[in-house]
Amino acid sequence: MLILLNCPKCQNHLQGENNSKLFFCTSCNLVYDVGDSKPKMYDLFYVLPKIKRDYPQMYFPFWQVCSQYKIVEDGEQGLNPQTRFFYIPAFFIKNINYFGDIGYYITMNNIDLRTGGRKDIPVFPGDRGLTDSIVYPLIYLYKDETTKRNNDAIEINIDHKEISVALIPFYRVKNDFYDSVIYWKYPSGALI
Ligand SMILES: [Zn+2]
């Protein structure tokens, strides 16, 4: 595994751990994904907390994928392609069924995440590169659309337009984390 210690652009020390796939440069606002053989670079955004609390904060990285898609039902294409932002945790949650997939929740409820957050907050290690994450927009849509229509004979054509990483603030309360968007609780043991 390749470990990037310094930002190739500005030489600043990168945030990341031994097993990380993502390395963050808070000075260039860039993230390097070393999941594949050659590191790839993406823009980094700092999200403001929606729910404000006085607890210490930590950023959790999410892939932010802007995609265009069309649903094909009974061989018929929907009229216009739709565009939406998808959020996929770039870290692993044990037993996501139990703790809830916050990425799915934010995506499907079209929650508006405002950027402009502080930079001096530590970042939780990102162990899930784009290769492991990019299937999720389709999984999210398929799950949502087949439930809505009670029809699993649909096809979805999707085209990813823009990929970046959003850092979403979480709060640390004793041994648990709470996100600042919907305030779900994640015991630290649930985060691999
Ligand atoms: Zn840099």
Side-chain angles (χ1 to χ4, degrees), residues 2 6 10 43 46 65 92 96-97 136 157 171 174 189 192:
L2 173 71
N6 295 93
C10 74
D43 285 333
Y46 303 81
V65 182
F92 284 108
I96 206 159
N97 292 333
Y136 279 87
N157 298 328
Y171 296 108
K174 292 183 187 159
I192 302 171

Side-chain angles (χ1 to χ4, degrees), residues 18-167:
N18 271 353
N19 293 324
S20 294
K21 296 264 170 76
L22 304 187
F23 291 86
F24 304 94
C25 179
T26 50
S27 132
C28 298
N29 300 333
L30 289 172
V31 52
Y32 298 91
D33 179 359
V34 300
D36 297 320
S37 50
K38 199 171 172 243
K40 288 205 181 105
M41 201 172 73
Y42 301 93
D43 285 333
L44 188 61
F45 295 99
Y46 303 81
V47 174
L48 285 167
K50 273 188 114 65
I51 294 168
K52 293 194 176 71
R53 293 285 186 276
D54 259 344
Y55 300 117
Q57 291 183 32
M58 185 174 234
Y59 279 128
F60 278 62
F62 286 73
W63 288 102
Q64 178 179 267
V65 182
C66 183
S67 315
Q68 225 178 41
Y69 64 93
K70 261 190 162 185
I71 294 164
V72 184
E73 198 176 4
D74 304 321
E76 304 258 327
Q77 295 249 356
L79 290 175
N80 294 312
Q82 301 183 61
T83 303
R84 115 179 9 234
F85 280 97
F86 292 86
Y87 291 91
I88 305 128
F91 53 93
F92 284 108
I93 303 169
K94 259 186 228 170
N95 205 345
I96 206 159
N97 292 333
Y98 182 76
F99 295 109
D101 185 344
I102 179 182
Y104 178 76
Y105 188 90
I106 293 172
T107 301
M108 288 311 168
N109 289 285
N110 286 315
I111 292 179
D112 181 22
L113 298 177
R114 308 255 154 175
T115 54
R118 285 162 47 191
K119 281 191 171 195
D120 58 340
I121 295 168
V123 182
F124 192 83
D127 298 343
R128 198 191 217 183
L130 186 68
T131 312
D132 295 327
S133 311
I134 199 63
V135 290
Y136 279 87
L138 204 50
I139 292 174
Y140 285 178
L141 277 178
Y142 200 73
K143 182 173 160 188
D144 196 55
E145 295 292 338
T146 52
T147 311
K148 267 200 314 220
R149 291 148 197 262
N150 197 18
N151 173 11
D152 56 12
I154 58 166
E155 250 181 76
I156 300 169
N157 298 328
I158 194 161
D159 195 8
H160 305 305
K161 297 287 182 194
E162 232 180 80
I163 298 170
S164 51
V165 172
L167 296 176

